[in-house]
Amino acid sequence: MASALGTGALAFREARTGVLQQSQDSVIRQFRTSVDAVAAHTSATPDQSELQSAVNQVLGANRTQGWRVMATYNGLRAYAPSAEFDRLSPELRRSVQTKRAAVFQRVDADGHPFLVVGMPVTYSTADGGESRLSGMVMYLVVPQNAEEAYVRAMISGIERATLVALCLAVVLALLAASGVLRPVRALRRATRRMAEGHLDVRLAVNGSDELADLSRSFNETAAALEQSVAELRRLEAQARRFVADVSHELRTPLAAMSAVTDMLDEKTGHLDEETGDALRFLSEGTSRLSGLVNDLMEISRFDAGAVELNLDEIDLVESVQRTLASRGWQDRVETRLPRPGVLRTRVDPVRIDVVMANLVGNALRHGAPPVRLTMGVREERADVAWAVIEVTDNGPGIAEEAMPHIFERFYKASTSRTRSESSGLGLAITAENVHLHGGRIRAANPPGGGAVFTVELPLHHDSATAAAADDDVAAGAR
């Protein structure tokens, strides 16, 4: 289409230029012939009558052309057929006074085109040198209505031809585009299916052009990707089975070791100091190893998709209070909770206990007092509300480089914790449990210092409304 339009515009420009150039050359040549014929019988210093006679002769020789002629010599002026000579521009007048050749200019007046020509009359010198200006100048104004009509007709013809060429170009472009876009659309559909996880998708290869090469390359890439992903999945499944099997196999000997260390702990008072310290060290190591195995078993169940929620409608406030009481943290944690019975929703009580124990325990181990636990409600819409639980501490906070990885497995934000009792799985298990309930969890460093972990759990509308209506949301620090 662009080619058709460009060709039409170029053809019009060249044809218009040719028509106007030919008309201009013809008029100037004819005007020069007439002026030369008159100048031969005009004196070198013509008077008014001679100027008028010269004008009349030039006009008489070209009366059918619609010319207007004017002659000037010093202050004298002669016109034919009338004195209407308002088409002369100052630039043309100045140019014709200094040049020995004809000067022309195209002008538009009242919506019509005119060709204005200024021609100085020159005389040859006696020695055959350069001709000299006589001071007499002949001017011509000729309408170009015929040329304008011809150009308009030419425009009409070019428009029709361009329209035909444009329609043909559109048809050809559609045919070409259909041949090009069909495999491109197929490639787009295939890439979308691959993004959705269908790695077995393939393209039909037809022909030997660049698109066929692209389809062939896509098929090869898809096959290699499918093979690589299958191998990765196999290795991942194998690793999960290994972790699950090892964790399972360790549970029995660890249970026996825990029973033995518990029994020996009761007799540490009858042992010497060195033996007692060794026994306590063994007992602590056994306890940490048992916790790690339990965490690995839990992670294995998450990976296998074998975790099921045992939902029950409970009071979140009472659940949090039981978590703190069972671990002896009531005096170490400041709480700001709604009154009991306000926040009731369906959750898995055991997993909510794990979430709160991990967050509060993490703040007590790695933060600094005071550790605060607050609960509230945030409504998004009339039918959607969230129970918001925040655990804050007054410690050094979380390093900025550790923030994106804080919920990753086995990640420890501080190198000094690599040998601590933490396994690096607590926050990962916490996040998994929150997500199982359809909730959200995030970590941040508040402006006042320390770290804050925020858990948002979806609430039923009736629970949220009751909480929002309660003016005494916070019962104060307990």
Side-chain angles (χ1 to χ4, degrees):
M1 292 187 289
S3 299
L5 293 175
T7 302
L10 182 61
F12 166 71
R13 189 187 68 176
E14 295 298 326
R16 179 179 181 274
T17 302
V19 169
L20 296 178
Q21 187 68 41
Q22 183 180 3
S23 172
Q24 166 193 304
D25 293 344
S26 176
V27 168
I28 293 176
R29 186 168 52 252
Q30 188 174 352
F31 185 46
R32 180 181 290 110
T33 301
S34 300
V35 171
D36 289 344
V38 169
H41 302 88
T42 304
S43 63
T45 57
D47 54 16
Q48 182 65 41
S49 61
E50 285 184 298
L51 279 179
Q52 189 63 51
S53 175
V55 169
N56 292 337
Q57 291 181 36
V58 171
L59 183 62
N62 305 276
R63 190 171 296 278
T64 61
Q65 307 295 324
W67 286 12
R68 295 179 188 177
V69 183
M70 180 179 74
T72 63
Y73 180 73
N74 293 335
L76 301 178
R77 301 284 187 276
Y79 308 93
S82 64
E84 296 180 4
F85 254 82
D86 54 351
R87 309 285 188 260
L88 301 182
S89 65
E91 293 81 6
L92 187 141
R93 290 177 181 272
R94 287 193 297 269
S95 181
V96 79
Q97 295 294 332
T98 58
K99 294 184 178 179
R100 291 175 171 78
V103 179
F104 66 90
Q105 187 178 33
R106 296 191 189 97
V107 298
D108 283 325
D110 301 328
H112 298 286
F114 292 88
L115 177 64
V116 181
V117 183
M119 185 172 295
V121 177
T122 60
Y123 291 100
S124 302
T125 58
D127 56 2
E130 185 179 8
S131 60
R132 62 180 178 84
L133 296 173
S134 66
M136 177 178 173
V137 179
M138 301 289 289
Y139 293 97
L140 167 67
V141 176
V142 55
Q144 292 192 304
N145 295 327
E147 289 78 3
E148 182 184 16
Y150 185 78
V151 169
R152 287 178 179 173
M154 183 173 57
I155 292 175
S156 178
I158 291 177
E159 285 178 349
R160 289 193 294 270
T162 302
L163 181 60
V164 173
L166 185 61
C167 293
L168 182 60
V170 169
V171 172
L172 294 177
L174 290 176
L175 292 176
S178 63
V180 173
L181 293 180
R182 191 180 300 111
V184 173
R185 292 193 185 102
L187 178 60
R188 181 181 61 187
R189 289 192 297 267
T191 53
R192 286 180 177 175
R193 285 182 55 81
M194 181 175 289
E196 294 171 357
H198 302 282
L199 301 180
D200 58 342
V201 64
R202 298 293 184 272
L203 293 174
V205 180
N206 298 315
S208 58
D209 55 3
E210 288 79 2
L211 290 174
D213 292 340
L214 178 61
S215 300
R216 195 174 296 108
S217 299
F218 175 85
N219 290 341
E220 294 172 356
T221 303
L225 180 61
E226 183 180 18
Q227 183 178 0
S228 299
V229 170
E231 180 65 16
L232 288 175
R233 288 174 177 171
R234 186 186 66 80
L235 294 175
E236 183 180 8
Q238 184 177 354
R240 289 175 179 173
R241 285 195 302 270
F242 175 77
V243 172
D245 293 343
V246 169
S247 301
H248 181 75
E249 293 298 327
L250 286 176
R251 294 188 72 177
T252 301
L254 278 176
M257 292 174 62
S258 297
V260 172
T261 54
D262 289 342
M263 182 178 61
L264 293 176
D265 284 340
E266 298 176 357
K267 299 181 180 180
T268 54
H270 306 289
L271 301 175
D272 59 85
E273 182 179 358
E274 184 176 354
T275 304
D277 292 340
L279 182 58
R280 282 191 295 272
F281 179 77
L282 177 62
S283 179
E284 292 173 359
T286 303
S287 177
R288 286 198 299 269
L289 183 58
S290 179
L292 175 60
V293 170
N294 290 332
D295 288 345
L296 287 175
M297 290 293 294
E298 185 73 354
I299 288 292
S300 299
R301 284 192 289 269
F302 281 124
D303 291 339
V307 177
E308 295 183 359
L309 293 177
N310 297 315
L311 298 177
D312 188 15
E313 184 171 345
I314 65 171
D315 182 3
L316 291 178
V317 174
E318 292 180 354
S319 175
V320 168
Q321 289 174 336
R322 282 195 299 269
T323 299
L324 298 179
S326 63
R327 292 162 176 84
W329 291 340
Q330 303 99 313
D331 297 333
R332 300 177 62 188
V333 179
E334 297 179 6
T335 59
R336 191 172 180 83
L337 308 174
R339 60 181 177 82
V342 172
L343 294 178
R344 296 189 63 85
T345 188
R346 289 180 60 81
V347 293
D348 187 327
V350 175
R351 296 193 177 277
I352 294 300
D353 177 74
V354 170
V355 169
M356 300 312 305
N358 282 340
L359 292 181
V360 175
N362 186 73
L364 292 172
R365 283 193 303 270
H366 307 297
V371 174
R372 303 180 183 88
L373 190 153
T374 62
M375 294 183 66
V377 177
R378 181 173 61 82
E379 290 197 31
E380 286 188 355
R381 300 193 304 269
D383 58 340
V384 177
W386 300 82
V388 180
I389 306 171
E390 289 188 351
V391 177
T392 61
D393 63 68
N394 200 34
I398 304 170
E400 291 299 326
E401 63 272 12
M403 193 68 73
H405 312 286
I406 198 68
F407 295 108
E408 293 180 1
R409 299 173 183 180
F410 297 106
Y411 183 80
K412 297 185 179 182
S414 173
T415 56
S416 63
R417 293 172 51 195
T418 55
R419 294 185 178 273
S420 69
E421 65 179 14
S422 172
S423 65
L425 292 174
L427 290 179
I429 292 175
T430 299
E432 293 284 358
N433 281 318
V434 171
H435 296 155
L436 277 177
H437 286 84
R440 300 181 290 228
I441 185 171
R442 61 181 180 273
N445 292 320
V452 55
F453 286 84
T454 304
V455 174
E456 296 180 348
L457 297 173
L459 282 176
H460 297 300
H461 176 60
D462 52 356
S463 298
T465 304
D470 182 18
D471 294 331
D472 188 17
V473 175
R478 302 197 250 280

